Amino acid sequence: MNRRPASIASLAASAVLLAGCSAASAPIEAVTVADAPTVIGVSDGDLWPSCWSDDGALYAANGDGSGFGSTFGDIVMNRITGTPASDDLAGEGLATGDALGQVWTDAEGYTRKPTGMLCTGGALYLAVQDLAPDFDAAPNATIARSDDHGRTWSWDTSAPMFGGGVFTTVWFADYGMDAERRPEKDYVYAFGLDGNWRDSFTDVVPDPTELFLARVPIASVQDRASWEFFAGEPRAAEATWTSDIAAKKPVLVDDRRTAHGMSVISQGGVTYLPKRGRYLYTSWTEYTFEFYEAPQPWGPWSPVLSEDFGTYPWQADRIGGYATTMPSKFVSDDEKTAWVQSNVCPCAPAGVTSYWFGLRQMTLPD
C-alpha cells in the first residue's frame, strides 16, 4: 500500500475554559509509559474497552477470547475487581456472543468487536461494531444496554445505529465511577472514527485520520435520533452541534504517518482527569503509542506522547500494543499516575504476546 511520510501536524495547546470549571486548566505537556505491562489479570482476549460502574467494579468487553470466563466468543462481557496497585485483579465472564450483539454485515467472516463502554445511572452500555475478517473495514455499529450489571443485554435488532462506515468505531468519554464526574449532567460524550478502527492495511477503506465527537442525552443513549455531532471549531469556547451526521466536523485531524508508514488515529479511549480539568486520548499504531490531551472534548487536542517500540520482533521487556485505554478507576487520586491497557495478538509476528487484560503504569507530570 502507498505510505507517505508527513511532518507532525501542529496541534498547539491553549488555555481554554472547560465546561463546568471556573478557571483555565494547565495543559499536560508530556507523559511517560512503562516499557511493558506489569500487572495481568488471568484472562484471554483483546480490546477490553471498559467503564467503572456504581457497584465499584470495572466492566470490560474483550474480543476473540474467553475473557475471564471459560467460553470462547468473538465478544465477551466481564466484571473485574481489584486494582493494579494491589496486584489483585480478578474477574468473571458474564455474557458471550449473541447475548451481546449481532453481526449486521451479510458478507462472510464478519464478527462482533467491542469498541466502547459507558456506565451511568446503574446501567451499562456497550458499543459493538462489525469488523471485516481481515480487520480492515468496520461498516456498522450499534449500542447495547444492560440493566443487571452485564448479565443480560438489549438493543434494537432491526437496524444498526450507525452504518456505511460512518462513526462506526464508537467509544465514550470516561468520567469516573458511574460517569459521576461529567461536567454536563444531562449529556454524555462519545468519540468516533469513520472507515476503520485503525490504519486499514489493505486500503479497502480510507485510513482514519480524523477524530469525531458526538453528544447524547443521558436518558437516550440508544435513541439514534437524539444524537448530535460536533460541527464547530476545536478552539471555540463553546461547541456547535448538528443532528446531521453528514455535517459533522473533526475535533482532531492528524494525517501524519509514523516512521513505519501507518496512520496514527485509532480506536482507543478518552479519560477525563477532573483535578487537572483535562482529557487524555490514548491512540496507537502497530508499533507506537500516540497520546493526546485537551481541555474540552472538542479540543484543541495536542500530542503528549509518541512512543516508538520499534519493529518486530519485540522482547518481553519492551512491547507496544493496540486498543489502548486508560480506565479511570486506576487513576491515582493525585492524578500523577495511571494505568494503560493494551494488547499484542499471538496472530502477529511480534515475537511476544500480551493477549489478556494487562496494564502498564503511566506517569503524568506535576
Side-chain angles (χ1 to χ4, degrees), residues 153-239:
W153 294 80
S154 62
W155 62 94
D156 183 353
T157 60
S158 65
M161 289 178 61
F162 302 98
V166 178
F167 209 80
T168 50
T169 299
V170 182
W171 67 89
F172 296 91
D174 185 345
Y175 284 112
M177 180 186 285
D178 208 42
E180 63 185 6
R181 297 169 181 163
R182 63 188 187 280
E184 294 187 47
K185 297 305 180 185
D186 293 335
Y187 288 91
V188 291
Y189 290 101
F191 294 84
L193 307 179
D194 290 352
N196 203 25
W197 66 302
R198 46 96 165 132
D199 185 300
S200 191
F201 295 163
T202 59
D203 287 341
V204 65
V205 297
D207 298 333
T209 59
E210 299 174 325
L211 179 67
F212 297 97
L213 174 69
R215 71 175 186 176
V216 61
I218 200 164
S220 307
V221 173
Q222 290 181 295
D223 178 10
R224 172 63 182 81
S226 297
W227 284 61
E228 295 179 312
F229 302 88
F230 178 79
E233 299 300 326
R235 297 185 183 280
E238 299 293 334

Side-chain angles (χ1 to χ4, degrees), residues 46 64 135 198 286 312 322 344-355:
D46 62 358
D64 292 337
F135 313 129
R198 46 96 165 132
E286 183 87 356
Y312 301 147
Y322 58 89
V344 180
C345 183
C347 60
V352 295
T353 295
S354 185
Y355 203 69

